[in-house]
Amino acid sequence: MAKTSTRFLSPMRATKSKYGNRKATYQGIEFDSVKEANRYAALLMLQRAGEISELKTQVPFELVPAQFEPDTVGPRGGIRRGACLEKAVNYVADFVYKDKQGQMVVEDTKGFRTADYIIKRKLMLYVHKIRIKEI
């Protein structure tokens, strides 16, 4: 009988990510990297000092809406929603807050700029007229 491996990864076990970052937890919030957790701590201090307000994490922005087939009328007269052809494209900002002048600031903590991120950054500017502040 062949010996089988019963080794499993614990859900809390740290694994190396594709880009070498390590997940970090600060005040019960899990962040994708230590850099992101440190930036959150700095932003909290700025908020306490009154430099920024309304700090939020992981804020989604829709860049391209979902695409559906046309709705049809069913055999008993009800409207059938068309099937989803393409899901929506969203960008999730690491941090969103208002500065002292009341302007909304969208921040992303980047260690590596992927091709997907660059396209989403351009779509944020085109669709929402928001320039992402990269840290």
Side-chain angles (χ1 to χ4, degrees), residues 10-22:
S10 156
M12 298 307 285
R13 188 173 180 173
T15 57
K16 189 174 181 185
S17 76
K18 186 175 182 178
Y19 300 106
N21 58 319
R22 294 184 331 241

Side-chain angles (χ1 to χ4, degrees), residues 30-100:
E30 189 172 310
F31 295 94
D32 289 334
S33 68
V34 173
K35 183 178 181 181
E36 190 177 331
N38 288 338
R39 182 61 184 157
Y40 178 68
L43 288 171
L44 280 178
M45 287 175 37
L46 288 172
Q47 183 167 262
R48 286 187 203 117
E51 296 295 315
I52 66 170
S53 62
E54 301 179 35
L55 176 62
K56 297 175 191 155
T57 61
Q58 302 299 307
V59 179
F61 291 89
E62 186 175 71
L63 301 174
V64 180
Q67 311 290 314
F68 293 92
E69 288 180 343
D71 294 342
T72 58
V73 177
R76 293 187 281 170
I79 295 179
R80 273 193 198 163
R81 178 150 176 130
C84 181
L85 299 171
E86 295 287 339
K87 292 181 181 179
V89 175
N90 294 307
Y91 164 71
V92 180
D94 290 339
F95 307 108
V96 175
Y97 57 87
K98 288 192 177 176
D99 63 12
K100 252 187 164 173

